Amino acid sequence: MSTDEVAAAVPRLTRKGRATRDRIALAASNLMFERGVAATSIEDVQAAAGVNPSQVYYYFKDKRDLVRAVIAVQTEQVLGAFGSVEPRYGRLDSMEALRAWRDFAVGLEQSLDCVGGCPIGTMGSQLAETDAEARQEVAEGFARWEQAICAGLRAMRERGELRADADPDRLGLALLATLQGGLLLTQIRRDTTALEVGLDVMLDHIEAHLAH
């Protein structure tokens, strides 16, 4: 579910109300990324967003409802940076774009001192065994990410840049899985070497499927 869809589920919000709700969700997203879901209280979110308790509960019936909004926020942020059809560094439909995507991922982790990992991946790991609905929403976010990557690879095959026997769906899923594993090891090791090596090997594998 996208941020807009989540917001639309709350009836009759004014522009000011929508802005307040978005501010609360963003504050919760930042806190849950830094501290984890369990260690973030409604009171923490209230203080960070600069609102009173009644405002939090006006827009979100409970913490689980707030977590849903956070998943939507983090999914949109991640897809906008890493995986949308038109991410900030261009479509992922060429080896040049894929290499730039790799450099962006590594550079972002370095700028964060390798802290935090993937926001939606981290949320998923915290909630998968305790909140089935939240797990499903995280899975849907990953599915959108996967399809965006695969779309670029399909475009390459349609233009004849990838061989006809290349499987964009399998390559795209493998690339996303490699990124997630690399981000986890980067978070644990506080070093981007695993992320760099994993993405380089996977991109070399994709490049080996280029038509010559």
Side-chain angles (χ1 to χ4, degrees), residues 1-162:
M1 183 179 292
S2 70
T3 303
D4 289 342
E5 290 170 332
V6 171
V10 180
R12 296 185 296 277
L13 282 185
T14 64
R15 180 177 298 181
K16 182 178 179 181
R18 174 81 174 267
T20 301
R21 186 184 188 282
D22 289 348
R23 186 168 79 252
I24 294 169
L26 182 59
S29 175
N30 292 335
L31 288 174
M32 290 179 185
F33 179 68
E34 294 170 2
R35 305 177 182 180
V37 175
T40 300
S41 68
I42 292 291
E43 290 74 18
D44 295 331
V45 175
Q46 168 203 331
V51 298
N52 59 53
S54 64
Q55 285 177 293
V56 176
Y57 286 108
Y58 176 78
Y59 296 107
F60 305 98
K61 61 184 180 181
D62 53 27
K63 185 175 178 180
R64 292 184 68 183
D65 192 30
L66 181 57
V67 167
R68 300 292 186 281
V70 168
I71 293 171
V73 168
Q74 293 185 345
T75 297
E76 295 305 315
Q77 289 178 336
V78 168
L79 290 178
F82 279 98
S84 68
V85 176
E86 294 185 6
R88 63 185 63 175
Y89 34 79
R91 279 176 59 101
L92 300 179
D93 62 351
S94 69
M95 288 309 305
E96 180 181 9
L98 288 166
R99 297 286 183 189
W101 179 80
R102 173 265 189 211
D103 293 343
F104 173 81
V106 172
L108 180 60
E109 288 304 301
Q110 291 171 339
S111 73
L112 296 172
D113 295 323
C114 303
V115 173
C118 170
I120 59 174
T122 300
M123 286 284 288
S125 66
Q126 293 177 53
L127 298 168
E129 307 307 330
T130 60
D131 189 330
E133 292 182 9
R135 182 198 61 77
Q136 183 58 39
E137 290 181 15
V138 172
E140 290 170 2
F142 273 120
R144 290 175 58 200
W145 195 352
E146 177 188 344
Q147 288 306 309
I149 296 170
C150 293
L153 296 173
R154 289 190 204 105
M156 292 174 66
R157 190 176 67 175
E158 289 166 5
R159 293 197 304 265
E161 296 170 14
L162 281 179

Side-chain angles (χ1 to χ4, degrees), residues 118 120-122 142 145 175-185 195:
C118 170
I120 59 174
T122 300
F142 273 120
W145 195 352
L175 183 55
L176 178 58
T178 299
L179 174 67
Q180 286 301 304
L183 288 172
L184 176 59
L185 288 175
L195 178 62

